[in-house]
Amino acid sequence: MSFSKASSFYRLLVGVIILIGIIIIPPKVFFDYDFESFFPQDDAELTSYNAFRERFENDNDYLLIAIGAKDVFDGKFLDDFQSLQAQLSTLELVDRVGSILDMEEVVIGPFGINRKKLLRWEDADQLAASKDQILSSERWRENLISQKGDFLLMIVHNKQQITKEDGDKLYAEIKGQLETFGFSKTYTAGKIKAQGEFVNLLQEEFAFFLAISFGLIILILFLIFRSWWTVLIAILVIAIGIVWALAFSLYFGKALDVMSVMQPTILSIIGLAALVHYFNHYLNYLRHGYAKEAAIQKSFSEISIAVFLTCTTTALGFISLYLTSVPSLKFFGLFTGIGVMLVFSAVILLTPSLLYLIPAMKVKDQGSNAEFWRTKMRTGFSWVIQSQRMILTCFLILSILSFWGLSELRVNGYILDNLPRDHELIQEFNFFDREFGGSKPLEFQLESGSNAKTLLDKEVLEELKKLEDFVQENFETAVMISPLTVVKGLNQAMNAGNERAYAVPSLGQLQRMDPYMDRALDDFPTRVLSENRKIGRISTRMEDIGSFQSAELRQKLHDFISEEIDTNLFTIQLTGTSHLIDISHESVSRQMLKGLSIAFLIVAIVAGFLFRSWRISMIVLLPNIIPLLWMCGVMWLLGVELKLTTAILFTVAFGIAVDDSIHFMTKLRLELGKGRQWLYALKRTFIDTGKAIILTTIILSSGFAVLMFSQFGVTFYSGLLISLALLFALFADLLLLPVLLIRLGKIWEKKKNQSSKMIS
């Protein structure tokens, strides 16, 4: 590629036209957080759940509202609570609203059906009787009234699969109604609230990291080059590259989400590392007396292939995430990878022409500084030569310890994983876990077996009772809603409302219920049975205990079903959004290995292409695999758990860290191409590239460390772990890689001698 003055200005014109096009037809900027985008799309569990919610309903389309008072059985409080419920029921996006005020005692007698409210406060005697009945019944405590009896629960079921915009609108309306009544204590938790809170944080963090990224660029460039021109050009070029990258994703309908928060920092730091290489070469040529135009042409012509290769491997490292089955990771990887190449394109298209437009940079006499680096790198290479056995031993010991740490890492994730545990939203969800049996939906699908006509057969109901008792005791759930709930309620109604009759009926009683069953199912607020009565659901809530404990409970449930439940009567399948999130985290090893395998293959191909040697491909891989292993050791030491959002960091870190190895090997290839002996070529490579590798590592690691200021868990750990991985890669590239190459040199020289003999 030519970097003459004329061709550079043509490229500048192309870049300006692209930017003008974006300004004239701007993409729609929108933020979103949809936790369903973390579901693995190739999983049979998702297909099953989609069929489940088509038949019944989406299991997380509700908002929990807890309203407290000194005395929740006070008549004035109950009047206000009832008024609020009535007003919320009229909202356009609300499907239904339920609370203890809706609960009825139904008595079926000789003269028909008699209904009366469970909670009555027309007079003091009725209120006192209702209070005693409710507080003494495990059916209502920790269900629609808190454990301590100081909060009432209202469940607002919104329209199914509500959009983010409608969810924001509805939550604002509900919040407004709550403020109107002025209750002293209120807590809310649910999808429409969580998504809104996440997006607000996303917007704040996106702006924050965009600003801090450019602040970092200014600081680093000025410290390295002491020139405001370099700062100005870098900010302009990187800003345009980021605009291109974000516009590209937005044009394709990719919302800015929890993963996108990292993109400005990632793209700006990668762009900055490329510019530092170019500026450093440009200044070196000026220092050696080249004219400005010649210095620009030579600096960009000589290293553009190396910079292109490093950006390509980084981009492909991100793009390899597209091969995972989780949409959020797929599109983060795809659009970040494309963004890296767009930033590289901005650097190539804009930087040479901008350098032509400004005066030649003033080059200070840096002879002493250059000599300092040469001396230190020469000393460093001598130390590596003398300490080969110690280096190999240290790397081996640390790698073995890290491998042990990897074996001890636990896969665990939570629904609100990305928020700090002391965040207000987390605290509110914890309140419902503590007082109302949980905030996390828990769903089971039931299907009648070969030995049952329907799920309402007596034998099936007996087995369901065993199952529900097991689930409630082991999962520590709230009260369950199921076909058995309808049957037990109907049995109580046919026994004069006796609380003890809320149980599995006898066969004769069950037969006497038959004329009332259809109406009981229709009147039940939640659909729990299909029309043919062969498919049903158990619906409840539990505490968000994390995917690790959930997996243990699932295994315990599986063992119980195998040993205690007659599966010829019915089958049971755990389903729902919470279950899908849990298994998404548990698929982390598969997703991580898939992404890393592709990344390893890409690097091996690039190294093989450069050197035409599979041995060198393996040697390039090893110093970049070890930092990932050490990263696992650090995660174990810090107690960081594996989950989808931390698993991707291995692929990202590898894609970025391998750049220095490629720079090192590219320089070695050039030195060998000049006919130099292997060891001397290795020494020249170590001395000449050492400074650049150290500087770029400092730039990249400090850039990623900025992400540690984030409130989002995924962003914080991305900053911490990728920064450490890059530092580990620096040690591997300057210590382990030369030692491995020294040993490979013997094979290289042997082959070279054999080739010479054959020619002679």
Side-chain angles (χ1 to χ4, degrees), residues 259-291:
M259 307 298 293
S260 303
V261 167
M262 298 186 286
Q263 281 184 323
T265 302
I266 291 171
L267 298 178
S268 61
I269 295 304
I270 290 172
L272 177 59
L275 284 170
V276 166
H277 279 292
Y278 282 121
F279 287 157
N280 194 48
H281 274 68
Y282 172 55
L283 287 173
N284 279 337
Y285 279 114
L286 290 178
R287 194 174 294 115
H288 285 87
Y290 283 81

Side-chain angles (χ1 to χ4, degrees), residues 56-83:
F56 296 109
E57 63 180 349
N58 203 36
D59 68 330
N60 67 343
D61 275 329
Y62 60 77
L63 181 73
L64 303 176
I65 305 175
I67 302 176
K70 290 182 179 179
D71 181 10
V72 296
F73 292 97
D74 175 72
K76 173 65 169 60
F77 173 80
L78 291 172
D79 286 338
D80 287 345
F81 191 91
Q82 187 178 52
S83 297

Side-chain angles (χ1 to χ4, degrees), residues 442 444-447 455 459-475 477 480 482-484 504 537-538 556-562 564-567 570-574:
L442 180 64
F444 300 89
Q445 178 168 288
L446 309 168
E447 189 166 358
L455 290 173
E459 296 84 358
V460 174
L461 295 173
E462 292 286 358
E463 293 294 287
L464 275 178
K465 174 70 167 58
K466 287 162 55 179
L467 174 66
E468 290 190 9
D469 288 346
F470 174 86
V471 171
Q472 195 154 28
E473 179 182 350
N474 289 274
F475 286 72
T477 67
M480 295 185 173
S482 71
L484 183 59
V504 179
R537 70 188 287 205
I538 298 175
K556 197 172 180 181
L557 174 66
H558 179 268
D559 295 340
F560 173 80
I561 292 170
S562 300
E564 303 291 338
I565 299 296
D566 184 356
T567 52
F570 72 88
T571 58
I572 181 169
Q573 180 183 358
L574 186 58

Side-chain angles (χ1 to χ4, degrees), residues 463-536:
E463 293 294 287
L464 275 178
K465 174 70 167 58
K466 287 162 55 179
L467 174 66
E468 290 190 9
D469 288 346
F470 174 86
V471 171
Q472 195 154 28
E473 179 182 350
N474 289 274
F475 286 72
E476 298 182 9
T477 67
V479 172
M480 295 185 173
I481 296 171
S482 71
L484 183 59
T485 311
V486 179
V487 172
K488 290 193 295 186
L490 191 53
N491 190 45
Q492 182 181 9
M494 296 187 72
N495 284 275
N498 189 330
E499 184 76 23
R500 286 181 297 178
Y502 187 76
V504 179
S506 65
L507 181 59
Q509 189 72 358
L510 184 62
Q511 290 170 346
R512 286 192 292 275
M513 288 180 189
D514 197 55
Y516 304 98
M517 189 62 73
D518 284 340
R519 182 172 178 181
L521 290 168
D522 290 340
D523 289 346
F524 201 70
T526 302
R527 190 178 184 191
V528 293
L529 206 58
S530 63
E531 290 183 6
N532 63 6
R533 301 184 181 180
K534 289 181 177 294
I535 299 176

